[in-house]
Amino acid sequence: KFLIYVSGALSMWGDRMWHFAISVFLIELYGRNLLLTAVFGLVVAGSVLLLGALIGDWVDRNPRNKVAHASLFIQNISVTVCSIVLMLVFSYKQRIEQIWDGWLTVVCYTVVIVLADVANLASTALTIAIQRDWIVVITGYNRGHLAGMNATMRRIDQVTNILAPLAVGQVMTLASNVVGCGFILGWNLVSLIVEFFFLSRVYRIVPALSVKPPVVEVDQVDLQRLERRKSQGMDDISDSKSRTQVRKVCKAIFMFRWLVSTCKDGWRAYYRQPVFLAGMGLAFLYTTVLGFDCITTGYAYTQGISGSLLSLLMGVSAITGLLGTVMFTRLRKSYGLVNTGIISSCLHLGCLLLCVCSVFAPGSPMDLSLLMPYITSNSSTELGGMASQRQKHTYSLRGSSNQPLLPDRSSIHWTNNTVLFDNVPSDTAPESYISIILLFLGVITARIGLWSFDLTVTQLLQENICESERGVVNGVQSSMNYLMDLLHFIMVISAPQPQHFGILVIISVLFITTGHTMYFLYDTVFPFPGLFLCG
């Protein structure tokens, strides 16, 4: 367990540092514009969405040690090479922009995004292998030990989520982006060696890890049939070059059919799981703006909240997340795993009611007239008058009240402790903080129920999925999570102004309620889960 915790901490620390740094690097490369960051986010989400089942199938079909070592090697080497490319671009940016009429810069951007995406895919494979499969085997299918390891891994994740970006951010601030790239490069090389040694040690200590049930080769019949067709067709072709071309075409067709069939079988395996509704419920929780991501922080800035205060709130949210992991272990011992999920769901929804109240509380900038162009001018004037009284504290950052939730970083001063906008008057005090207080109070307290519910569904997936299908089912689960996460960005694109944020809050709560309703239905349909059906 200790070796798994240490290797997991190193891996999570590197992931958190890299995810934070790559976003900042892409913004700096593209002239403090968010375009490259948006493209990177779209590529990462799209690749996992499309390849999640294939990644999981690869995890299922190969020995555990080879999967872990290959994923670890690909992830760290991709980040290392990407860091080297970024160091060269930052050091020789002006020269690179003059080569090939600037097209070499585009090539560098493409290489960086592709390598970062490959690293994320490898990280996904490593997470599925270690946290969804290895841990189950290491605990000997003991529910209590499994819950303890899951909770500990989540606590490590919560701590690294705060400390890792802070560490690399200080390096980038005190030194430079090039030094920051070098720091990440060195960390990944050291982490690669340590994690490789620790995981190899765990594999030798636990003999059960070397035993893996065979995966049914559902495509073997199709392969044999295709080979017979190829051999029959070759008899009619006398030219050797033509035969070679036909073989290549047939092989390409078969590979394409195999990829499509693997994805289809993976999604079918996911849908037929007894914990399907619980997994879908967890995925629906990703369609939300009620978290400490760029959307919520951007909205907070438009409401006059400083960066230093937001940093403090993020620290408090991490503490509440840790409390959620503690609550999960105690509730599971007292009430069982399924009932823990029900209690966590109720707590999560109850806290989010504060966010709904913030939409209608004094100080809320919500203005429905912005989404109703068909309203008559008189009605619009009345609504506008009412809205103006409720949004006096919404700062006009660029001379207009309709500011996007995530402002242009070119108007922001980045310091060690805070973020200040150029045009925000320092002596201006909001009329009412009630709305923003209720919002963050709900977001922070809801993380207790959120992380407890997340751990509940995670363990349900571990306990109820056959060992031969753990990889592919968890790969599809990752695809579903990314799909629902994409929806919340589409929501923000559709309603990007601070005056729209209240509507996004309500939609988010509706999605979360739907997710928890799916879990309640799962409890009704499958009242006796957690039997380690295939263990």
Side-chain angles (χ1 to χ4, degrees):
K1 290 182 180 180
F2 173 76
L3 296 176
I4 288 291
Y5 293 152
V6 174
S7 62
L10 292 173
S11 179
M12 293 175 191
W13 186 283
D15 285 346
R16 298 299 185 181
M17 280 201 311
W18 176 244
H19 289 160
F20 172 81
I22 188 63
S23 299
V24 177
F25 291 155
L26 291 175
I27 290 174
E28 294 291 338
L29 286 176
Y30 205 66
R32 294 179 177 270
N33 190 289
L34 297 173
L35 178 61
L36 281 183
T37 304
V39 171
F40 171 67
L42 181 62
V43 170
V44 167
S47 60
V48 177
L49 177 60
L50 295 176
L51 302 177
L54 294 175
I55 292 174
D57 182 76
W58 175 73
V59 172
D60 286 332
R61 291 176 181 272
N62 293 275
R64 290 188 173 96
N65 60 335
K66 292 184 178 180
V67 169
H69 292 161
S71 302
L72 183 64
F73 181 81
I74 294 173
Q75 177 192 7
N76 286 273
I77 294 301
S78 297
V79 173
T80 299
V81 176
C82 191
S83 299
I84 295 175
V85 174
L86 286 170
M87 292 173 68
L88 294 175
V89 173
F90 280 126
S91 301
Y92 305 100
K93 185 177 182 180
Q94 294 182 350
R95 296 183 183 179
I96 293 175
E97 290 176 347
Q98 298 174 358
I99 300 176
W100 298 348
D101 295 330
W103 282 103
L104 182 58
T105 305
V106 177
V107 172
C108 292
Y109 294 162
T110 304
V111 170
V112 168
I113 291 177
V114 170
L115 288 174
D117 183 49
V118 171
N120 183 74
L121 292 175
S123 176
T124 301
L126 186 62
T127 300
I128 293 174
I130 302 300
Q131 298 188 28
R132 301 296 183 267
D133 183 31
W134 281 46
I135 288 180
V136 180
V137 179
I138 290 172
T139 56
Y141 299 91
N142 183 290
R143 297 178 187 174
H145 294 168
L146 181 60
M149 287 200 72
N150 285 332
T152 302
M153 294 294 287
R154 190 54 48 86
R155 290 167 192 154
I156 294 173
D157 182 57
Q158 289 292 305
V159 173
T160 55
N161 191 27
I162 297 298
L163 298 182
L166 179 63
V168 71
Q170 290 299 314
V171 172
M172 294 163 57
T173 301
L174 299 177
S176 64
N177 289 330
V178 176
V179 176
C181 291
F183 179 74
I184 295 174
L185 186 153
W187 177 276
N188 277 272
L189 291 178
V190 174
S191 177
L192 172 61
I193 298 174
V194 176
E195 289 182 65
F196 188 92
F197 173 76
F198 280 10
L199 293 179
S200 300
R201 178 65 176 166
V202 172
Y203 188 78
R204 291 193 299 268
I205 293 176
V206 184
L209 289 174
S210 61
V211 180
K212 199 169 187 180
V215 179
V216 179
E217 299 290 343
V218 295
D219 298 320
Q220 191 66 30
V221 176
D222 292 338
L223 176 60
Q224 295 175 356
R225 185 183 298 114
L226 183 59
E227 290 292 339
R228 287 197 299 268
R229 290 179 181 178
K230 285 168 57 179
S231 61
Q232 292 174 0
M234 293 302 167
D235 295 337
D236 301 330
I237 301 176
S238 58
D239 188 2
S240 59
K241 292 184 178 180
S242 299
R243 287 188 177 185
T244 303
Q245 293 176 356
V246 171
R247 286 193 182 96
K248 291 181 179 179
V249 171
C250 292
K251 185 176 181 180
I253 293 174
F254 170 73
M255 288 300 299
F256 177 76
R257 288 183 58 189
W258 179 82
L259 292 175
V260 173
S261 177
T262 301
C263 291
K264 187 187 300 183
D265 292 339
W267 284 90
R268 286 176 178 173
Y270 179 73
Y271 288 135
R272 69 168 179 262
Q273 298 299 319
V275 290
F276 161 68
L277 287 175
M280 283 291 293
L282 178 63
F284 266 72
L285 269 58
Y286 281 75
T287 308
T288 178
V289 297
L290 301 175
F292 282 93
D293 57 2
C294 57
I295 306 302
T296 306
T297 54
Y299 171 76
Y301 287 142
T302 65
Q303 303 306 298
I305 304 299
S306 66
S308 57
L309 179 57
L310 272 176
S311 301
L312 178 62
L313 293 176
M314 290 181 66
V316 175
S317 71
I319 295 176
T320 57
L322 294 175
L323 292 177
T325 63
V326 175
M327 186 184 76
F328 163 75
T329 55
R330 295 188 176 183
L331 287 178
R332 194 205 63 82
K333 291 181 181 178
S334 301
Y335 302 102
L337 188 60
V338 175
N339 292 332
T340 297
I342 296 175
I343 297 172
S344 302
S345 296
C346 295
L347 178 60
H348 189 203
L349 291 173
C351 294
L352 290 181
L353 290 178
L354 294 174
C355 300
V356 177
C357 294
S358 72
V359 175
F360 307 98
S364 173
M366 187 176 73
D367 185 5
L368 294 178
S369 64
L370 295 175
L371 298 178
M372 301 178 183
Y374 56 87
I375 296 181
T376 59
S377 58
N378 292 335
S379 299
S380 298
T381 303
E382 294 177 1
L383 288 173
M386 296 175 61
S388 63
Q389 296 178 359
R390 301 181 61 191
Q391 58 179 351
K392 290 182 179 180
H393 74 289
T394 305
Y395 298 126
S396 178
L397 301 179
R398 291 185 180 275
S400 171
S401 61
N402 297 332
Q403 294 298 316
L405 293 178
L406 187 59
D408 187 357
R409 291 172 65 102
S410 61
S411 65
I412 303 177
H413 294 310
W414 288 88
T415 64
N416 291 339
N417 299 317
T418 188
V419 180
L420 299 174
F421 288 105
D422 287 341
N423 299 325
V424 175
S426 59
D427 57 347
T428 301
E431 179 185 358
S432 176
Y433 282 111
I434 295 179
S435 177
I436 198 71
I437 289 176
L438 287 175
L439 175 67
F440 279 98
L441 184 62
V443 170
I444 291 173
T445 55
R447 298 182 78 83
I448 300 177
L450 171 63
W451 289 116
S452 179
F453 180 78
D454 179 271
L455 285 169
T456 300
V457 177
T458 297
Q459 184 155 342
L460 285 173
L461 293 173
Q462 291 170 328
E463 291 184 359
N464 291 275
I465 298 174
C466 292
E467 186 175 357
S468 60
E469 294 182 334
R470 279 185 196 145
V472 67
V473 173
N474 281 285
V476 175
Q477 181 66 48
S478 298
S479 298
M480 286 299 306
N481 295 344
Y482 272 93
L483 174 61
M484 303 307 292
D485 189 48
L486 277 176
L487 290 182
H488 106 272
F489 284 109
I490 295 175
M491 285 166 42
V492 177
I493 293 174
S494 303
Q497 310 303 336
Q499 291 84 353
H500 303 157
F501 191 77
I503 300 173
L504 300 181
V505 169
I506 295 174
I507 295 175
S508 298
V509 173
L510 290 177
F511 269 94
I512 293 172
T513 303
T514 303
H516 288 303
T517 302
M518 289 183 177
Y519 182 82
F520 296 149
L521 293 175
Y522 156 76
D523 180 37
T524 303
V525 177
F526 300 98
F528 302 106
L531 300 179
F532 281 105
L533 300 179
C534 300

